[in-house]
């Protein structure tokens, strides 16, 4: 409080006392107790009003103890139950959480995880996946810029996500408590199967199988691949103490169109503790059609390699990079990608007048725009010799196919000649251009459709930077590759538009997310966000039917069918108002990944503890863990002092007090006939 404020307060006391004395006691012959009391009430009311007018600032010192957070995270997946460690997991974390000394030093918070990370409410050990990497990511969000320890109750067997050993941030010390029996038992296991989702009829497709052995004895095992009741491959393998892992590559015949289902099996004469990991199902969809795509360019450019890799992620596509003069016939191709065409492309355009193959034209700084204006009648290019960088803007009203915004606005600019690109016919633009965040009329990615003939135009080069930027942001090329796949799919298909399109997989593994996506378009082929879509799923064996509503996402409708048992299912998606339907089928393969483990992965947990300056503990060492947490001087509560300043005018009770004093004075004066 300042000196001037104190002087004002003293002056207020004097004035309030003086006025009260003058009104009730000055020249009063009989100074009774009543007059003294009324003078006191007048003093209180006047002084309160003066206080409110002066409004001094009241400072208070507040002291608080800030504890270090101690997240205790418990694995709630099925593997804990399979390793017979549910009792340990359910009881041991409470020894830490309810310890009085721990609670005095730390802010204890309880979490559990399986495929999701959440607050610990109840443990049932029924989670179908273990996502330890997700624990690290969520803790980073909860405790940013904080140095804290983590107690992690788990078997260390992760089934989804990135490697958790390197996921936890540097200022976090992880203390894993290993759940499950670490005694090595003999076990043969099919660790992983790598196989393409698609194979082509009358071709051979590779299957790569990784096999693992736990044990010290030398054993002989038999590995086989079965298709129904038929064994299509069989071989003998030897494992030993020094040879605990092997990979097998088998070429299988794709001799029938449809979904080919297989089972990989490994067995031996020695009895194993866990046999559920000795077999693994997989399936391949055999197709008899492959889209041949010609990527034609007269120049070398990084875009060519990026487009080829991106398009060929879909196994149904094959891209051949050729020069214009190397193509003798267009009959073998479904799509032509014309990269920066110039006069050397003249024969390609002339041949395509008869072939009528859908084209994807990409222009850039090496394009001959005069020639291109003569060869097509969709866009008119009025270009100058100067160059410009064009940023992309996503157009949400695009309706030729469903494409979400994958961050186009944040992608690097495409380089192109400066000028105007005008539409001569009806076009549907997915991406429009802007220069230094100023929108311009030019498209960047646009499409035309005339009957069964379709074209796409990309205005700008260096799209390879988009694919790289997508990987930098998402740690995956998936979004960009799906974007290019949808462009090619639009060009490959000459079929008429459908109002209801449904995307689904032909098979799913038990325990995985079973997601089906649908798109519904109105009569104008615009996405209808008011559609009412339902799906009926029928188990082909039991004939049990279940009905679900599809929920609206950004530009689609989705339903998650998690929890379906292994088996074959048929389904029908129906739009209620138009009664439009789509039918399909899929299979849920009998495979539970959480039943594949016979031991906790203590080696990786030890590596995690080493990387984070923590230490691994076992269930019989909980008291040692508690002692270590209490004695660790890196995690000491801190005392924080804050000064809180409050203006007196915020004290509502002072105003009420002044009003009560004035009211009491008035009532007493009236009661005693002094008014």
């Amino acid at each position: 409080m300042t000196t001037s404020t104190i002087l004002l307060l003293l002056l207020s006391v004097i004035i309030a006392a003086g006025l009260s004395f003058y009104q009730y006691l000055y020249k009063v012959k009989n100074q009774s107790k009543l007059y003294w009391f009324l003078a006191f009430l007048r003093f209180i009311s006047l002084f309160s009003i003066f206080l409110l007018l002066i409004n001094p600032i009241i400072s208070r010192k507040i002291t608080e103890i800030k504890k270090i957070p101690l997240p205790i995270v418990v694995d709630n997946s099925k593997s804990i139950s399979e390793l017979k460690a549910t009792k340990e997991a359910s009881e041991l974390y409470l020894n830490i959480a309810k310890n009085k000394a721990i609670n005095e030093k730390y802010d204890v918070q309880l979490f559990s995880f399986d495929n999701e990370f959440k607050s610990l409410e109840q443990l049932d050990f029924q989670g179908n996946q273990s996502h330890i990497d997700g624990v690290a990511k969520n803790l980073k969000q909860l405790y940013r810029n904080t140095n804290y320890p983590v107690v992690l109750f788990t078997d260390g067997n992760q089934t989804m996500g990135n490697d958790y050993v390197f996921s936890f941030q540097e200022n976090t010390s992880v203390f894993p408590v290993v759940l499950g029996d670490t005694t090595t038992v003999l076990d043969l296991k099919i660790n992983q199967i790598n196989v393409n989702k698609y194979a082509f009829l009358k071709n051979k497709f590779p299957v790569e199988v990784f096999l693992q052995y736990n044990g010290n004895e030398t054993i002989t095992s038999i590995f086989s691949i079965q298709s129904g009741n038929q064994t299509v491959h069989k071989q003998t393998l030897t494992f030993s103490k020094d040879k605990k892992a092997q990979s097998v590559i088998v070429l299988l015949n794709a001799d029938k169109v449809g979904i080919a289902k297989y089972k990989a099996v490994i067995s031996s004469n020695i009895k194993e503790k866990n046999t559920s990991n000795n077999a693994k199902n997989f399936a391949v969809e055999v197709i008899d059609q492959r889209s041949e795509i010609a990527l034609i360019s007269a120049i070398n450019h990084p875009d060519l390699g990026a487009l080829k890799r991106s398009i060929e992620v879909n196994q149904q596509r094959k891209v051949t990079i050729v020069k214009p003069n190397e193509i003798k016939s267009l009959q073998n191709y479904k799509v032509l990608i014309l990269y920066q065409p110039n006069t050397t492309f003249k024969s390609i355009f002339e041949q395509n007048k008869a072939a009528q193959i859908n084209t994807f034209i990409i222009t850039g700084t090496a394009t001959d725009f005069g020639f291109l204006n003569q060869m097509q009648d969709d866009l008119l290019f009025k270009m100058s010799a100067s160059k410009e960088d064009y940023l992309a803007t996503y157009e949400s009203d695009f309706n030729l196919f469903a494409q979400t915004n994958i961050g186009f606005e944040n992608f690097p600019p495409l380089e192109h000649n400066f000028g105007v690109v005008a539409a001569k016919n009806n076009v549907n633009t997915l991406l429009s251009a802007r220069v230094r965040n100023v929108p311009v009329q030019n498209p960047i990615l646009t499409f035309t459709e005339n009957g069964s003939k379709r074209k796409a135009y990309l205005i700008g080069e260096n799209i390879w930077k988009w694919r790289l930027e997508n990987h930098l942001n998402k740690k995956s090329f998936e979004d960009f590759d799906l974007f290019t796949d949808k462009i090619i799919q639009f060009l490959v298909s000459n079929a008429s538009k459908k109002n209801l399109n449904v995307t689904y997989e032909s098979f799913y593994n038990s325990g995985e997310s079973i997601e089906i996506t649908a798109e519904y378009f109105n009569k104008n082929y615009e996405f209808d966000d008011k559609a009412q879509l339902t799906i009926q799923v029928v188990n082909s064996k039991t004939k049990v039917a279940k009905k679900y509503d599809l929920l609206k996402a950004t530009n689609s409708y989705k339903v998650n069918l998690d929890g379906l048992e292994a088996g074959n299912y048929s389904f029908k998606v129906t739009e209620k108002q138009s009664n439009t339907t789509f039918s399909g089928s899929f299979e849920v393969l009998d495979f539970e990944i959480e039943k594949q483990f016979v031991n906790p992965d203590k080696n990786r947990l030890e590596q995690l503890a080493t990387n984070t300056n923590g230490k691994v503990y076992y269930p019989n060492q909980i008291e040692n863990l508690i002692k270590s947490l209490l004695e660790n001087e890196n995690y000491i509560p801190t005392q924080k002092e804050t000064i809180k300043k409050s203006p007196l005018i915020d004290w509502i009770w002072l105003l009420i007090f002044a009003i009560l004093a004035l009211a009491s004075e008035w009532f007493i004066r009236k009661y005693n006939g002094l008014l």
Side-chain angles (χ1 to χ4, degrees):
M1 195 177 299
T2 63
T3 304
S4 60
T5 303
I6 295 174
L7 292 175
L8 286 173
L9 291 175
L10 291 175
L11 184 60
S12 299
V13 172
I14 294 171
I15 294 174
L19 288 174
S20 301
F21 178 80
Y22 177 78
Q23 291 175 346
Y24 283 105
L25 300 174
Y26 181 67
K27 293 184 180 181
V28 176
K29 295 180 180 180
N30 183 17
Q31 294 183 355
S32 63
K33 292 182 179 179
L34 174 63
Y35 282 91
W36 278 99
F37 185 64
L38 289 172
F40 174 73
L41 291 176
R42 178 60 59 89
F43 170 79
I44 292 298
S45 59
L46 289 174
F47 183 64
S48 298
I49 293 171
F50 289 149
L51 277 179
L52 291 172
L53 292 173
I54 297 171
N55 190 26
I57 304 298
I58 308 300
S59 298
R60 292 181 297 162
K61 183 182 290 185
I62 300 174
T63 302
E64 61 177 343
I65 303 298
K66 187 177 181 181
K67 298 179 182 179
I68 300 296
L70 176 62
I72 300 176
V73 189
V74 185
D75 192 336
N76 192 41
S77 63
K78 285 183 180 178
S79 62
I80 303 300
S81 177
E82 292 295 321
L83 295 177
K84 306 291 190 296
T86 56
K87 185 177 180 181
E88 293 176 343
S90 300
E91 295 177 355
L92 291 179
Y93 81 91
L94 292 174
N95 292 351
I96 303 176
K98 293 184 177 181
N99 185 281
K100 185 177 180 181
I102 289 289
N103 281 277
E104 288 178 355
K105 182 177 180 181
Y106 295 96
D107 178 16
V108 178
Q109 299 183 21
L110 303 179
F111 302 96
S112 65
F113 75 94
D114 36 49
N115 60 319
E116 295 181 350
F117 179 83
K118 52 195 171 184
S119 295
L120 196 158
E121 297 177 357
Q122 184 178 0
L123 295 171
D124 57 10
F125 305 102
Q126 293 300 310
N128 292 317
Q129 298 272 11
S130 296
H131 193 192
I132 305 177
D133 174 54
V135 174
K137 292 179 180 177
N138 280 278
L139 291 179
K140 285 180 184 179
Q141 295 296 320
L142 289 173
Y143 310 114
R144 291 184 177 180
N145 303 319
T146 304
N147 185 20
Y148 63 96
V150 178
V151 178
L152 181 64
F153 287 84
T154 182
D155 57 9
N157 293 311
Q158 178 171 257
T159 60
M160 62 184 295
N162 297 324
D163 189 351
Y164 65 85
V165 171
F166 306 100
S167 295
F168 288 84
Q169 59 190 28
E170 294 179 357
N171 59 346
T172 303
S173 294
V174 183
F175 298 92
V177 179
V178 182
L179 299 176
D181 188 358
T182 58
T183 304
T184 301
V185 295
L186 188 144
D187 181 64
L188 284 169
K189 174 183 177 181
I190 297 178
N191 203 33
Q192 183 177 339
I193 296 179
N194 292 335
V195 61
N196 293 328
K197 292 173 62 176
Y198 302 99
F200 300 102
L201 185 65
K202 298 180 181 179
N203 284 351
K204 290 182 179 290
F205 62 92
V207 180
E208 185 178 26
V209 184
F210 293 91
L211 305 170
Q212 185 174 323
Y213 167 66
N214 273 355
N216 297 319
E217 303 176 14
T218 300
I219 64 168
T220 300
S221 63
I222 297 175
F223 171 72
S224 63
I225 297 178
Q226 303 168 3
S227 177
N229 296 324
Q230 181 182 4
T231 300
V232 296
H233 176 82
K234 189 175 183 179
Q235 69 181 94
T236 301
L237 300 171
T238 301
F239 293 90
S240 65
K241 180 180 179 180
D242 300 322
K243 191 177 183 181
K244 293 192 173 185
Q246 293 190 49
S247 64
V248 177
I249 298 178
V250 180
L251 291 175
L252 299 180
N253 293 317
D255 49 14
K256 185 178 180 182
V257 174
I259 298 177
K261 303 168 187 175
Y262 300 91
K263 178 188 282 188
V265 180
I266 186 168
S267 60
S268 69
N269 294 328
I270 302 175
K271 186 177 180 181
E272 298 180 48
K273 180 180 178 180
N274 182 9
T275 58
S276 62
N277 57 11
N278 286 21
K280 185 176 286 191
N281 294 313
F282 65 96
V284 175
E285 185 174 357
V286 180
I287 55 179
D288 62 356
Q289 181 180 7
R290 187 172 186 175
S291 300
E292 295 280 347
I293 299 167
L295 177 50
I296 307 170
S297 175
I299 63 173
N300 294 323
H301 198 282
D303 283 351
L304 303 178
L307 286 168
K308 177 178 172 65
R309 285 190 293 271
S310 181
I311 295 170
E312 289 186 342
V313 167
N314 186 334
Q315 298 295 319
Q316 299 182 61
R317 322 272 192 229
K318 181 182 179 182
V319 178
T320 304
I321 301 177
V322 293
K323 294 186 179 298
N325 56 7
E326 294 176 350
I327 292 188
K328 304 302 180 185
S329 173
L330 301 179
Q331 294 180 356
N332 296 329
Y333 300 109
K334 289 290 184 71
V335 175
L336 303 178
I337 302 178
L338 308 181
Y339 189 80
Q340 305 212 36
N342 53 30
T343 53
T344 61
F345 283 70
K346 185 175 182 180
S347 62
I348 303 296
F349 280 99
E350 290 178 347
Q351 290 183 59
N352 199 31
K353 287 180 181 179
Q356 294 292 300
I357 299 174
N358 291 340
T359 57
F360 183 14
I361 298 176
I362 302 175
T363 63
T365 57
T367 304
D368 186 335
F369 293 103
F371 168 77
L372 186 58
N373 284 332
Q374 297 175 8
M375 293 295 106
Q376 54 81 38
D377 55 3
D378 299 311
L379 300 176
L380 177 62
F381 294 88
K382 298 178 181 179
M383 299 288 110
S384 65
S386 61
K387 300 176 182 179
E388 186 59 80
D389 289 335
Y390 290 94
L391 295 166
T393 299
Y394 173 74
E395 300 293 341
S396 58
D397 57 351
F398 178 79
N399 57 40
L400 290 181
F401 52 84
Q403 173 62 51
T404 58
N405 189 351
I406 60 173
F408 293 109
E409 287 83 358
N410 300 319
F411 284 170
L414 299 182
E415 188 177 11
H416 198 266
N417 292 66
F418 181 77
V420 177
V421 181
K424 297 166 67 175
N425 292 319
N426 290 331
V427 297
N428 203 323
T429 299
L430 175 60
L431 300 175
S432 59
R434 68 186 197 276
V435 177
R436 290 182 285 278
N437 287 325
V438 178
V440 294
Q441 297 299 319
N442 295 356
I444 280 187
L445 180 61
T446 192
F447 300 83
T448 67
E449 188 173 19
N450 184 10
S452 62
K453 189 173 182 181
R454 297 176 172 179
K455 291 182 182 179
Y457 291 86
L458 177 64
I459 316 300
E461 61 183 82
N462 294 330
I463 197 174
W464 65 271
K465 295 182 180 179
W466 286 16
R467 190 169 191 258
L468 181 61
E469 183 72 16
N470 180 236
H471 188 275
L472 290 174
N473 294 334
K474 301 291 184 65
K475 309 303 180 186
S476 169
F477 296 114
E478 183 177 355
D479 287 349
F480 181 87
D481 292 343
L482 183 59
F483 162 63
T484 56
D485 184 65
K486 288 187 176 183
I487 295 173
I488 299 302
Q489 181 61 37
F490 171 79
L491 297 172
V492 166
S493 175
N494 290 324
S496 60
K497 293 179 180 178
K498 296 180 181 178
N499 292 84
L500 181 60
N501 298 320
V502 179
T503 302
Y504 66 99
E505 299 289 342
S506 299
F507 51 89
Y508 301 89
N509 286 327
S510 178
E512 286 184 349
S513 177
I514 303 175
E515 186 176 85
I516 294 179
T517 304
E519 303 156 4
Y520 181 74
F521 300 93
N522 59 24
K523 292 180 179 179
N524 294 326
Y525 295 103
E526 298 171 340
F527 178 76
D528 189 347
D529 59 0
K530 296 181 180 179
Q532 300 179 33
L533 298 177
T534 59
I535 181 172
Q536 184 175 14
V537 182
V538 181
N539 187 306
S540 301
K541 182 178 181 181
T542 63
K543 305 302 179 183
V544 174
K546 294 183 179 180
K547 199 170 185 179
Y548 306 86
D549 291 326
L550 278 78
L551 302 179
K552 183 180 176 298
T554 306
N555 282 318
S556 62
Y557 293 86
K558 294 183 179 181
V559 65
N560 200 314
L561 306 177
D562 290 357
L564 294 181
E565 298 178 353
N568 292 296
Y569 293 85
S570 61
F571 69 88
K572 178 188 281 188
V573 178
T574 305
E575 203 286 314
K576 184 177 180 180
Q577 295 179 350
S578 64
N579 205 32
T580 306
T581 62
F582 179 95
S583 299
S585 62
F586 61 86
E587 182 179 1
V588 179
L589 301 175
D590 185 12
F591 174 74
E592 289 193 58
I593 194 169
E594 288 291 324
K595 292 184 177 181
Q596 306 302 304
F597 309 105
V598 293
N599 289 115
D601 195 342
K602 65 176 184 178
N603 292 331
R604 293 179 72 207
L605 290 176
E606 287 174 352
Q607 187 179 355
L608 169 63
T610 301
N611 289 348
T612 59
N613 295 318
K615 184 180 179 181
V616 167
Y617 290 88
Y618 295 90
N620 61 350
Q621 298 175 323
I622 290 298
E623 293 302 322
N624 294 339
L625 173 56
I626 294 174
K627 183 179 179 182
S628 174
L629 290 171
L630 292 174
E631 294 178 352
N632 196 324
E633 295 183 356
N634 293 323
Y635 308 113
I636 299 176
T638 57
Q639 180 175 302
K640 184 178 180 181
E641 289 187 353
T642 57
I643 296 177
K644 186 175 182 181
K645 295 183 178 182
S646 304
L648 197 66
I649 200 170
D650 291 339
W651 290 17
I652 188 67
W653 288 107
L654 184 59
L655 180 61
I656 295 173
F657 192 53
I659 294 172
L660 288 175
L662 287 170
S664 299
E665 180 186 354
W666 179 86
F667 178 79
I668 293 172
R669 285 172 60 89
K670 186 173 181 66
Y671 181 79
N672 289 278
L674 298 177
L675 292 178

